[in-house]
Amino acid sequence: MGKILQNFFRALNEQEKLFQAELATDNLGIALRAAVNELDWYDYNLRKVAELNAEQHEQFSILTLGVTRLIKLALDARPSYDVPVVCFPRTKEITIKALNCVSGIGIIQHGRRVAQTVSSGRAKIELTNEKEFDITLPDRIHDENLLEKAVFEHYTAQSYRQFEEIMSSELFQELHEKVSDLLQELVYPFAEHYIGYEADPTLDAYFLGIALHRLKGERGYDSFKYDLKFGGIEFQKYLNALTFLIGSAIRHERFAEALAEKEEKSYLENLLTISVDNEPFIESLRDAINFLGEDLVGYTETTTEEAATIFKVLSVGRDSTEMLDRPGCALPLLIRVSDTAAIRCQTAAFHFPMQFLLDSLRWHFPEDYSKNQATREQSMQAAVERVMSEAFPNLIFRQNVKLRLDGQTLTDVDLVVAEPSTGLILFVQLKHQDLYGEDLHAETQRKERLSSQVERWINSVDEWLSMNGPDNLSSTLRLPKKFPEPMIRTFILTRHFAGNLQKECDGKTLLSANWEVFYNSVHLVKQNSTIAVVNDLLDYVEKGMEEGASNTYLPEPESEWIVRDLKFKVQQIGNVEAAE
């Protein structure tokens, strides 16, 4: 299978080289601009649909994979374009050509993702003809993190619903009317097919407020403490800049709708994707960052030089296309097509913008990122103590307890929770893994690393407990003299992806959960228990994680993919048997 998989990767690469050769002849950058425009137009229409069907999901996935990869290929194919940025109205000829290119590249990227499932051992591949491959998935594919996603989406949906209720209240009706009037008043057609509009402080505050709420609901928003620095710039300033970009995207969409309604010859599909001149945009970015930060404690004014660095981090150019190497990486919010201009990708502002920021910070400032990662478990310690203290009275907490044997440190325990009323001692190990979005390669690597780290920690704790009696346990944890006979349990609490650890957990002495499940379990205890104890919390955690462990992905329909003379088919074992 190894040789067949290598041949499959090689065949995918050969097809991609043909597309890149085409892009190398595009001296104006028409293909890149048209590709982003088609994605933005498709995404805009999909967001108007109440519930997407499987075909729409698939089409959007292929289109997103294709555009993300095309950005890299197009920028790598030429050192520059003949003009800083190109603009043109959408035509049938350009659209067909762009979609053919994007879909072909998207299928290649999909093939690479399928190949990653084969290399991870989750699928099998066969060669059925010279350039024809069959990929077979197992009949059941476990989704270990479905519960985590469901709980997160539940709380996010509640937050959005509360925000919508506030925004729909009578108190805000006058503001909404003023915003609608300003959108109509300030927008105008530019060069016949395009859009122009003036600024207004009311619109800035209105759309920045909406953007800030949206961003706080993004996974990864709380990845770092606000004052940690990347490239000498506080994390908060990057968040403020991302808020500005999201707010600008929402505002621009509303302006585009207003112009299309106002002017019969202005078509929405020509208005969504726009370009910016770098220097004035960086100045606007600086002003927005300062506007959002001016009331924050300890905030320092952002300079134009800092704003230029932040702009570079939130964009991709010929100097940073490596960030777009892996299939499934996040879309860039800005594409620097020249030294003076960039294209704004509307879609990126609505789909995983926080993921792009985190990935970009890791790529641009790897040393800072690694150093700042080490601080995240301290924040988790404080959060766990705060949440548990609100639900359970008189708990004793000990942080960073070192377990020593024969004068040597076996391991440490990030947090020990002792409950005098029951004698429960909970050893808690905290893990704050990075999000990997749709990147299957990163997912496989981080799953393996997390499991390995947890296994080593469990073995060290078990060894220490087997060699130490109650007296040594009490002195190590500095417990009160009247503390009851201890009952010890261990708990792996991750920020994300605890479902990957279920095979290591027996549910009785060892449990795992991610933050969402832990927080939700605390809420259930407070809601349902008259006299709450920590074991009640662990029971809810165990029940939730057990239910999550049985989750599987929906059945994968048989699909066939063709790029020129390359063909590959993907099907599940159940479908294969049914066909036979």
Side-chain angles (χ1 to χ4, degrees):
M1 189 169 70
K3 188 174 181 181
I4 296 174
L5 184 59
Q6 288 178 0
N7 290 339
F8 185 47
F9 272 119
R10 189 180 301 112
L12 293 169
N13 293 339
E14 288 172 356
Q15 295 298 330
E16 185 175 86
K17 286 177 182 177
L18 298 175
F19 284 109
Q20 190 161 23
E22 291 178 14
L23 294 170
T25 66
D26 182 7
N27 61 310
L28 295 177
I30 292 174
L32 195 160
R33 175 62 181 256
V36 176
N37 187 78
E38 291 305 320
L39 177 63
D40 285 347
W41 178 231
Y42 194 77
D43 176 58
Y44 172 82
N45 287 288
L46 282 190
R47 284 188 280 108
K48 304 299 180 183
V49 178
E51 187 173 350
L52 304 187
N53 58 40
E55 184 180 0
Q56 289 167 325
H57 272 296
E58 184 179 88
Q59 288 174 346
F60 181 68
S61 175
I62 293 298
L63 195 56
T64 305
L65 286 169
V67 170
T68 309
R69 185 65 175 179
L70 184 143
I71 294 169
K72 172 184 166 54
L73 296 178
L75 293 177
D76 286 347
R78 296 182 64 90
S80 65
Y81 294 124
D82 293 352
V83 294
V85 66
V86 65
C87 296
F88 47 85
R90 186 172 182 260
T91 66
K92 184 176 181 180
E93 181 184 358
I94 292 175
T95 294
I96 291 173
K97 189 173 181 180
L99 289 177
N100 284 339
C101 183
V102 167
S103 61
I105 294 173
I107 291 170
I108 291 168
Q109 287 292 82
H110 177 60
R112 289 186 173 122
R113 285 169 59 80
V114 170
Q116 287 175 347
T117 65
V118 175
S119 62
S120 67
R122 289 179 285 181
K124 295 181 179 180
I125 187 169
E126 295 179 85
L127 180 66
T128 58
N129 211 325
E130 184 179 355
K131 288 190 177 181
E132 296 182 10
F133 300 84
D134 277 2
I135 293 93
T136 307
L137 302 169
D139 58 346
R140 288 170 60 85
I141 306 173
H142 288 281
D143 187 355
E144 299 99 334
N145 299 306
L146 182 62
L147 175 66
E148 172 184 342
K149 289 181 284 188
V151 176
F152 176 81
E153 288 168 3
H154 166 74
Y155 281 110
T156 302
Q158 277 192 331
S159 176
Y160 283 161
R161 187 163 50 251
Q162 291 169 359
F163 183 73
E164 289 295 329
E165 288 174 359
I166 294 171
M167 295 295 286
S168 301
S169 65
E170 292 183 11
L171 182 66
F172 284 90
Q173 286 309 305
E174 186 177 339
L175 174 60
H176 294 323
E177 291 174 9
K178 184 176 181 180
V179 167
S180 296
D181 291 342
L182 285 170
L183 290 168
Q184 287 285 337
E185 177 187 335
L186 298 175
V187 70
Y188 56 89
F190 174 75
E192 188 177 356
H193 297 291
Y194 311 112
I195 187 170
Y197 44 80
E198 304 295 339
D200 184 277
T202 300
L203 295 182
D204 292 341
Y206 179 81
F207 288 109
L208 284 173
I210 294 174
L212 182 58
H213 183 78
R214 287 184 65 96
L215 184 59
K216 286 182 176 180
E218 287 282 321
R219 296 186 76 188
Y221 177 80
D222 59 351
S223 291
F224 294 100
K225 194 167 178 286
Y226 68 92
D227 57 352
L228 294 176
K229 293 185 177 182
F230 297 86
I233 300 171
E234 294 89 342
F235 185 57
Q236 182 65 57
K237 293 184 177 181
Y238 291 101
L239 292 177
N240 289 356
L242 190 54
T243 302
F244 170 66
L245 289 180
I246 296 171
S248 296
I250 299 170
R251 182 185 61 176
H252 171 70
E253 190 172 281
R254 291 286 302 277
F255 265 127
E257 290 170 339
L259 182 60
E261 182 181 337
K262 184 177 180 180
E263 298 286 335
E264 289 184 2
K265 293 183 180 180
S266 294
Y267 300 107
L268 199 54
E269 58 263 37
N270 291 329
L271 306 176
L272 290 174
T273 303
I274 60 172
S275 57
V276 297
D277 293 325
N278 294 351
E279 287 191 11
F281 187 79
I282 288 170
E283 291 175 3
S284 298
L285 186 65
R286 176 201 62 202
D287 294 342
I289 294 170
N290 286 327
F291 173 77
L292 287 163
E294 60 186 359
D295 294 330
L296 300 176
V297 176
Y299 182 81
T300 58
E301 187 171 349
T302 302
T303 65
T304 303
E305 291 73 20
E306 287 180 325
T309 298
I310 294 170
F311 172 76
K312 191 172 183 180
V313 168
L314 287 172
S315 63
V316 67
R318 289 181 172 84
D319 57 343
S320 55
T321 58
E322 185 183 324
M323 286 197 300
L324 306 182
D325 271 346
R326 289 180 173 176
C329 64
L331 269 167
L333 293 103
L334 294 153
I335 304 134
R336 287 180 275 118
V337 289
S338 70
D339 293 335
T340 60
I343 298 172
R344 273 176 40 183
C345 180
Q346 282 284 111
T347 309
F350 296 100
H351 298 276
F352 312 114
M354 195 68 220
Q355 181 76 55
F356 181 80
L357 171 59
L358 294 173
D359 291 346
S360 188
L361 287 173
R362 186 190 299 109
W363 190 85
H364 281 94
F365 311 113
E367 291 183 5
D368 288 343
Y369 200 93
S370 179
K371 179 181 67 176
N372 291 335
Q373 277 182 311
T375 69
R376 298 192 299 194
E377 288 172 4
Q378 297 172 11
S379 299
M380 283 186 72
Q381 285 174 331
V384 172
E385 289 191 26
R386 183 181 69 252
V387 170
M388 292 191 71
S389 295
E390 291 172 356
F392 309 100
N394 306 317
L395 295 180
I396 298 169
F397 297 98
R398 299 286 184 259
Q399 295 183 354
N400 304 319
V401 177
K402 295 189 180 300
L403 303 184
R404 294 187 174 90
L405 193 63
D406 299 329
Q408 293 186 336
T409 300
L410 281 180
T411 188
D412 65 348
V413 182
D414 293 326
L415 185 66
V416 174
V417 183
E419 188 173 45
S421 63
T422 63
L424 176 68
I425 296 176
L426 187 65
F427 282 20
V428 184
Q429 192 70 354
L430 304 173
K431 293 293 180 183
H432 197 307
Q433 276 205 314
D434 281 327
L435 294 166
Y436 41 71
E438 303 298 315
D439 188 339
L440 297 180
H441 181 68
E443 176 187 1
T444 300
Q445 285 186 321
R446 292 173 193 172
K447 276 184 179 180
E448 292 173 352
R449 183 163 62 244
L450 178 62
S451 294
S452 176
Q453 291 172 348
V454 166
E455 185 178 2
R456 287 198 301 271
W457 183 78
I458 292 170
N459 291 338
S460 296
V461 170
D462 286 347
E463 182 181 357
W464 187 86
L465 290 173
S466 68
M467 301 296 289
N468 287 273
D471 291 342
N472 200 17
L473 177 68
S474 180
S475 62
T476 300
L477 302 181
R478 307 189 311 280
L479 298 176
K481 290 184 178 179
K482 294 184 179 180
F483 194 87
E485 182 179 350
M487 176 182 64
I488 299 169
R489 299 185 73 175
T490 45
F491 183 34
I492 313 297
L493 179 58
T494 71
R495 182 62 190 88
H496 310 287
F497 316 130
N500 303 335
L501 298 173
Q502 283 305 96
K503 60 181 180 295
E504 280 92 2
C505 299
D506 58 16
K508 297 177 181 178
T509 59
L510 175 64
L511 284 171
S512 71
N514 67 290
W515 176 261
E516 279 81 11
V517 173
F518 165 74
Y519 183 86
N520 191 55
S521 297
V522 172
H523 173 73
L524 290 172
V525 169
K526 291 164 69 175
Q527 189 178 58
N528 299 320
S529 299
T530 306
I531 302 176
V533 294
V534 175
N535 265 324
D536 294 337
L537 165 64
L538 300 181
D539 287 344
Y540 277 113
V541 167
E542 181 183 359
K543 182 180 179 182
M545 295 304 292
E546 281 180 351
E547 291 175 354
S550 62
N551 290 325
T552 60
Y553 287 97
L554 293 174
E556 183 75 17
E558 181 178 322
S559 56
E560 188 171 77
W561 305 91
I562 301 172
V563 187
R564 297 189 179 93
D565 59 347
L566 171 63
K567 182 188 295 185
F568 62 95
K569 185 165 63 176
V570 182
Q571 55 189 336
Q572 279 188 276
I573 287 176
N575 293 340
V576 175
E577 292 171 349
E580 292 174 351

